[in-house]
Amino acid sequence: MEFLKSAVASAMAKGPPFPYTFGDKVDLDPSIWTLYNGTRREDGSNCSIFSFDITANRSALPLARNALKKLRTLRHPGVIKVLDTVESDTYIYIATERVVPLRWHVKRKSLSPETAKWGLYNIARTVKFINNEASSVHGNVKVASVYTTESGEWKLGGFEILSNVKDDDAVIYTYGSLVPDSGRYSPPEMASGWDALKRSPHAAVDAYGFGTLIFEVFNGSFNGGDQAGQTKNIPPTMHSSYKRLTNANPKARLSVAHFLEQGCRHGSFFDSPLIKLTDGIENLGVKTEEEREQFLDDLEQLTDDFPEDFFKMKVLPELLKSVEFGGGGPKAFGVVMKIATKLSNDDFESKVTPVLIRLFGNPDRAIRVCLLDNLPLMIDRLPQKLVNDKIFPQIVTGFTDVAPVVREQTLKSVLTLIPKLSDRIINGELLRYLAKTANDEQPGIRTNTTICLGKIAKHLGTSTRAKVLIAAFTRSLRDPFVHARNAALMALSVTSEYFGPEDCALRIMPAICPSLIDKEKLIRDQATKTLDVYMAKIKKAAAAMPDTVLPPEGAASAAGGPRMGTPQPTESAAASWAGWAISSFTNKLSAAVGEIQSSSTPANGSSAPAQSPANRPALGSQTPSTSSASDLRRQALKSPHPSASSAKEVSFSPDDFAATDAIDNDAADAWGDMDDFVEDDDSNDKATEQGDAAASFFTSEAKKSSTAQAKKTASAAATASAAPFDDGSEPDFAGWLAAQAQKKKGGLGAKPLPKGLTKTGASGPGSATAAKKTIPAAKPKAAAPAKKLDMKPKQTEDDDDGWGGW
């Protein structure tokens, strides 16, 4: 082998320049040519080189020169494509497209029946062209004269004796017998010499040769005329026509042109989708819309049994051009992806990837949906950097498209894209777009967004995953679409591992609970299953927690013992604390005896005892109270509930309630929503009640001043016998209200106040401000007593006397 290469190199050095490099020698049938794999020096592209050594085989030089001449002048898709030729005194070189002998495939039996028929169809068309249009005879049709290209197409060579029948000095008449293996493949009439060709139809020789080719393709070899016409392993649909090709009588033979015509009839052996595809693929760009649709329909019906190389080299580029420029549309792209799955990674990157990038930038919605549908077939072939930098920025435009089908397909593509996306894109741009689809007007898109988030949860950042998922799923739990709620519950079930015990107990489980009484049984059942998952998680977390976080008993004793009223972890301490609470309630219940009655009616028919003025500080000289606002409220709650007529006469100022509410709000935070325990009054009514109570307070004080001397002894005796517990810091409003109620009904001989100081209505003035202005401004009429009473409260240096400010 090294010797041959060196000989070729030395021969090239002596002859004209040949811009091709010789490679390995290719084995082939006996031939006047030596075949080498080669490369073009300019671009490194593949080629084949047919080499003829003139010095070693001078007798066959006319055959080599005839082949060189015919290959230069005969142009047809079924003929080997010549790139360059060079001839010197010692050699002839013919550089062609890269080819391999058909004999390789025949020996390996690697040809499927459909591929074999497709190849024979191509050779038949070429022979027909030579016989009819070129008015020539090939004379050497056999397996050794057929080659396959890189695209898998069958090409005809072996032009050593190809001659024009009109030429009287044709090479075939003189040198036909010099062709290797001519005796084995020549028809019976040529046994006496090739001059017999003049006495029979010129196409008869090639017809017989084509018959031997059919036999070899399906059986592996042709040993002589005895096998001509045998139908072993030949497709049944081809039997009749094949037998006529190999008829011993040249005038009765079926020409290759007629054989081709019979094969292309409807339902015949050449009527196959693969052959239709090869006929139409080169003209796909100029077909009408109906023809293109029919062509693509036939293309989709192809099974996996097709020549992969042909589809890769010929069909795929044409389909890609049709999709991008020729209006092939989604149907053509579907066929593209079917072919692309059989490509190597390098071929996919060089042939398909550049077109895909341009197609994702195409605004056609049909193309975009088709691309997204086929994304699983191509995603593994696309580099991560390419997806992040060029493809994903184009895909995200579908999240905001006005067509719901584009938004939905874009959302579904996230599951395919997510392994190729960077963390920055996933936790940034992608989540922002998913937040929009979670609020989509289409319920199906909202549902799919929830499903998508559940499936991509493992790809989300650990710092924001729980927050995002909880917000999304709990929102979907309130979706009016039943399947959206069901998807949220199922997503919560499968993503429970990503939530901590606190999130489960405080945020997720409370959100699930309303679904337990959902109107749809589907939701109720799924909510129960989901809640069981989280309940098991909570129990497991609680089992790992300590029994208590309080210090041990020994440490508490060393520190001087627990403070009074603090519950202790020990059994005795717990019992003591509970017993203290029970005894407190017992004392209160034992003191409250008798029947509940309205405060306007004295018990046992006796008048209600009045509070002693001595135990009640005067308005003008009130001492600052040391009790808190909450004590004041508790004391008021202990008092008997006033009657309906006097309910608005007792209230406190807004400042008192502000101080009290500040304390109660803290309690509400600790115990939850306590709104159910507070009377839901209108704010205007509350303001009116406070004003009425304030006015009632001042009016009652005026009455006490006018009757203080007359009732001092009786009030003191009643107060001493029936006054409730008084800590001396605040007045007993309950007793005072009861006394005033009796005075209104004439009890204890109460004297009427001057007309200027009496109330204007039965239910009191409308507001506290009105009461303040009415009392000092009231002037007695002429008929009033001569002695005037100063009813204004005395001013003290400190207006804030601990009552909240009047």
Side-chain angles (χ1 to χ4, degrees), residues 602 606-608 610 707 711 714-715 738-751:
S606 60
S607 62
T707 59
K711 302 300 179 181
S715 297
Q740 296 306 316
Q742 289 295 338
K743 291 178 181 179
K744 289 179 182 180
K745 293 187 177 183
L748 298 178
K751 295 181 180 180

Side-chain angles (χ1 to χ4, degrees), residues 644-690:
S645 62
S646 62
K648 292 186 179 181
E649 296 182 6
V650 181
S651 184
F652 303 98
S653 73
D655 293 337
D656 291 333
F657 284 104
T660 307
D661 290 342
I663 300 173
D664 290 347
N665 285 338
D666 294 338
D669 292 339
W671 291 93
D673 190 3
M674 302 295 288
D675 292 340
D676 295 338
F677 298 97
V678 180
E679 183 179 356
D680 188 15
D681 293 331
D682 188 82
S683 57
N684 294 331
D685 293 339
K686 290 181 180 179
T688 303
E689 291 176 6
Q690 291 175 0

